[in-house]
């Protein structure tokens, strides 16, 4: 339900992804295959997109703490920013 609300908020409902190849979100500490799937379904498919996603939106996508720990969303955004910068430095 949270993913649907975010899709509506950002105009991504019924959108078809036609952008660049999705990035491997599991390279970010705290994001596993299930978390990556949640991000992809919400339209967050690249490091650049994750780097610009407000922490409040990530909290809405992941409302229940996994394994008793609240994800460090600020660290996710920081790492995504770093990975995006590295990706563009190679070009």
């Amino acid at each position: 339900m949270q993913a649907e609300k975010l899709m509506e908020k950002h105009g991504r409902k019924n959108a078809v992804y036609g952008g660049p190849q999705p990035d491997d979100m599991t390279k970010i500490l705290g994001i596993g295959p299930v978390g990556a799937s949640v991000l992809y379904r919400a339209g967050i498919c690249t490091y650049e997109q994750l780097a610009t996603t407000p922490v409040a939106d990530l909290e809405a996508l992941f409302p229940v703490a996994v394994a008793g720990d609240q994800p460090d969303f600020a660290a996710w955004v920081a790492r995504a920013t770093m990975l995006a910068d590295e990706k563009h430095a190679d070009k």
Side-chain angles (χ1 to χ4, degrees):
M1 173 132 10
Q2 287 86 2
E4 189 168 322
K5 287 179 184 177
L6 282 176
M7 286 186 291
E8 288 177 14
K9 176 181 175 182
H10 294 286
R12 295 181 180 147
K13 188 166 177 130
N14 298 321
V16 175
Y17 186 74
Q21 179 72 23
D23 289 320
D24 181 2
M25 297 298 186
T26 63
K27 289 185 176 182
I28 298 172
L29 182 64
I31 302 177
V34 173
S37 179
V38 169
L39 292 170
Y40 298 146
R41 283 193 318 266
I44 302 168
C45 301
T46 65
Y47 299 136
E48 294 83 1
Q49 289 169 326
L50 179 56
T52 60
T53 300
V55 169
D57 287 354
L58 294 172
E59 289 170 346
L61 282 173
F62 297 91
V64 179
V66 179
D69 293 327
Q70 178 69 35
D72 186 349
F73 298 119
W76 290 11
V77 169
R79 179 69 175 144
T81 300
M82 233 164 79
L83 289 168
D85 289 346
E86 288 174 10
K87 187 168 71 171
H88 293 289
D90 293 340
K91 293 183 179 182

